[in-house]
Amino acid sequence: MVMRSVAAGPSSSSCCAKSSLPLRELVWPGRGGPACSCLLVTAVLLLVPSLGRAVPSFARQMNMQCIACHTEYPVLNTFGRMFKLGGYTLSTGQSESPPFAVMLQPSFTRTETGQPGGAAPGFGDNNNWALTQASIFYAGRLFGPFAANIFGQDAATIANKFGVFLQATYDGVGKTWSWDNAELRYADTGTIGGQGAVYGFYLNNNPTLQDPWNSTPAWGFPFTGSGLAPGPAAATLIDGSVSQQVGGAGAYVMLSNTLYLDVGGYRTLGASFQKSLGVDPGGETQITGLAPYWRIALEKPVGAGSWEIGTFGMAASTYPGRDSSAGKDRIVDLGIDSQYQVSTERHDVTALLSWIHERQSWNASQALGSASNAADALWNLKATINYLYDKTYGATAQYFVIDGNSDPLLYSGSLTGSPRSDGFVLQANYLPFNKHGGPSFWPRSNVKLSLQYTIYNRFDGARTNYDGSGRNARDNNTLYAEAWIAF
């Protein structure tokens, strides 16, 4: 568990588009044959505490519109999930441009009650405009369309199985550059026990970043949020608390488009390395040794849609605040998730459920005076429904709850010593170019205009101000308007 104050939720990586070629003509790199069962590889060097996004460089690589891989981006559809499993390397071979893209997110934030002293340095108490972030991407095949020129035609067969997703981002609230989600993949297809398989290997810096469903933390809703509004302080380790602070490696396989297996391990990156990439390592939870990560999921057709159910988790020995003087804490996260999705010409519905339970042993934290109890538990639940009409008009509703054992030292910012926060996130979206991939003068671009409202029933343990100090839960209710512009 890591105490944090973050309003933004993760986003999802993905591909973009509707192909000008029939699916049977799309070719797995170097094979020259049909690609109905194989697709994607990813790799990323990203910058800033935000998340990987759907980017138009994928659309150009595929000569497609975003709706081939997404409903409302970054929500992946069936083709998008297979494209990601194949490593972001599937291509029509028609683009001769390097896989660069740009993203801008100008925004407006209003909280129910202003924040005395300013929402952040350089901002007012309330009603703040900001450039939430601006990003430059290198995302797609690792060597873009140039593998054959660099290595020759035969070697390009292997080179084009590596994918990359690079994002350099300027944080308009913190006014800093930093890296964010980073991943490199190699992917291929074959048979295992007579069953068709897509398999791959990855390096990344955020547990669950590699996952193809939107029900795990790295790519779960809310995909964006304000950096100028208070957020719950408690979060499980796997739910973004070590993003961009760790390095990990793993391998995955999808058997018969049904069974997904993923095993990896993570360790905290060196402090000097993090600083060189714009991350401040001060006070972070340091994973020492190798923290194993696991993921098992089943996906199958149910009715008119596809249904996934799975489990994921990570177990870590940690130094609190990077302080090794009192020994180690032990944190074990176990998650259960499910997703059901139906996509038709006019209607796209995605239902998502995620539950994470964290078991915490505070051997070091208690000795250092930062935890009252020797052991605690923390859990969170997110239930989300996402709807998109005519690929253009969208709405999302989520109920969330974070709760666990009371611990006055661990949750020192809580009036009751409780980590409890719960409420709703409601969001309306308008995607004017989603169906056609941007205007004629700006092809393969996209824009999502969003209005998000977060409602708190409890916030950091309290509904109301029992002792007359601090803020009521409802004071943190947040209206957030954003334009998500990608080109």
Side-chain angles (χ1 to χ4, degrees):
M1 188 284 302
V2 168
M3 298 293 288
R4 62 177 183 174
S5 181
V6 200
S11 309
S12 175
S13 51
S14 18
C15 87
C16 293
K18 193 166 198 170
S19 177
S20 62
L21 297 176
L23 181 59
R24 65 178 178 275
E25 296 181 25
L26 299 179
V27 178
W28 181 259
R31 295 256 173 126
C36 290
S37 65
C38 19
L39 322 173
L40 307 219
V41 169
T42 307
V44 190
L45 288 174
L46 300 164
L47 307 176
V48 96
S50 81
L51 320 137
R53 317 295 193 194
V55 287
S57 57
F58 294 138
R60 289 186 280 270
Q61 178 175 292
M62 294 290 294
N63 192 30
M64 294 178 170
Q65 299 168 18
C66 293
I67 58 174
C69 288
H70 300 279
T71 59
E72 160 215 324
Y73 69 90
V75 178
L76 292 174
N77 59 23
T78 298
F79 183 81
R81 287 189 289 277
M82 291 304 297
F83 178 83
K84 185 173 183 179
L85 287 168
Y88 298 131
T89 59
L90 186 66
S91 174
T92 63
Q94 293 175 274
S95 175
E96 296 182 358
S97 301
F100 286 106
V102 176
M103 181 182 73
L104 303 173
Q105 291 182 318
S107 65
F108 171 79
T109 301
R110 174 181 173 78
T111 52
E112 186 82 9
T113 301
Q115 302 172 73
F123 292 90
D125 293 3
N126 212 342
N127 301 324
N128 287 297
W129 296 90
L131 177 63
T132 300
Q133 66 181 60
S135 299
I136 301 172
F137 296 82
Y138 184 87
R141 286 183 170 181
L142 178 59
F143 302 102
F146 311 119
N149 295 333
I150 297 171
F151 304 106
Q153 194 63 49
D154 291 340
T157 301
I158 301 299
N160 281 331
K161 295 175 184 177
F162 288 89
V164 65
F165 188 101
L166 261 180
Q167 182 184 6
T169 304
Y170 175 73
D171 176 2
V173 175
K175 298 179 174 58
T176 59
W177 288 88
S178 168
W179 83 330
D180 194 347
N181 295 328
E183 189 169 42
L184 173 68
R185 292 202 196 198
Y186 171 88
D188 206 347
T189 60
T191 59
I192 298 176
Q195 300 183 67
V198 180
Y199 64 91
F201 306 91
Y202 60 84
L203 301 172
N204 69 35
N205 69 346
N206 186 358
T208 76
L209 177 65
Q210 67 274 20
D211 203 71
W213 291 277
N214 290 97
S215 49
T216 51
W219 308 116
F221 181 85
F223 310 117
T224 60
S226 178
L228 293 167
T236 58
L237 192 71
I238 203 171
D239 193 7
S241 294
V242 293
S243 304
Q244 295 79 58
Q245 301 170 10
V246 297
Y252 66 90
V253 62
M254 173 69 95
L255 293 170
S256 298
N257 295 327
T258 301
L259 175 63
Y260 178 75
L261 303 171
D262 178 358
V263 178
Y266 291 86
R267 183 169 182 165
T268 298
L269 299 168
S272 59
F273 181 76
Q274 291 187 48
K275 288 178 181 178
S276 71
L277 295 170
V279 177
D280 180 5
E284 70 185 16
T285 298
Q286 179 182 359
I287 295 176
T288 179
L290 191 68
Y293 168 86
W294 62 90
R295 170 71 158 139
I296 304 171
L298 287 170
E299 183 177 70
K300 60 184 298 183
V302 174
S306 61
W307 177 59
E308 174 271 336
I309 185 169
T311 182
F312 58 94
M314 185 170 70
S317 295
T318 63
Y319 294 137
R322 301 186 71 96
D323 185 345
S324 60
S325 63
K328 302 175 183 179
D329 293 329
R330 182 68 175 170
I331 299 174
V332 179
D333 287 356
L334 177 63
I336 296 173
D337 73 294
S338 187
Q339 174 176 311
Y340 183 71
Q341 186 176 70
V342 178
S343 293
T344 66
E345 183 177 353
R346 285 294 183 93
H347 307 280
D348 295 280
V349 180
T350 306
L352 304 152
L353 185 67
S354 174
W355 177 83
I356 301 172
H357 181 273
E358 181 171 274
R359 188 173 72 249
Q360 308 157 333
S361 298
W362 301 129
N363 298 327
S365 291
Q366 189 181 44
L368 292 169
S370 55
S372 304
N373 305 327
D376 285 314
L378 182 70
W379 61 271
N380 67 31
L381 172 73
K382 296 178 182 178
T384 310
I385 185 76
N386 175 275
Y387 173 69
L388 184 67
Y389 173 72
D390 198 27
K391 315 301 181 188
T392 304
Y393 307 96
T396 306
Q398 179 186 85
Y399 172 72
F400 66 90
V401 58
I402 305 164
D403 203 359
N405 299 126
S406 293
D407 193 313
L409 288 176
L410 192 63
Y411 307 114
S412 58
S414 168
L415 295 175
T416 61
S418 168
R420 174 85 183 202
S421 294
D422 69 274
F424 297 87
V425 181
L426 309 175
Q427 183 167 317
N429 303 305
Y430 174 52
L431 297 92
F433 305 138
N434 205 37
K435 292 174 66 176
H436 306 295
S440 59
F441 64 88
W442 202 19
R444 302 302 179 224
S445 62
N446 214 332
V447 173
K448 180 164 75 170
L449 305 176
S450 301
L451 188 63
Q452 181 186 104
Y453 189 55
T454 303
I455 305 166
Y456 291 101
N457 300 320
R458 278 192 177 86
F459 189 91
D460 288 350
R463 287 183 184 273
T464 58
N465 221 344
Y466 294 117
D467 64 356
S469 64
R471 295 163 66 87
N472 295 328
R474 65 176 178 270
D475 292 337
N476 302 305
N477 291 354
T478 302
L479 179 69
Y480 178 68
E482 178 188 79
W484 184 340
I485 306 166
F487 56 96

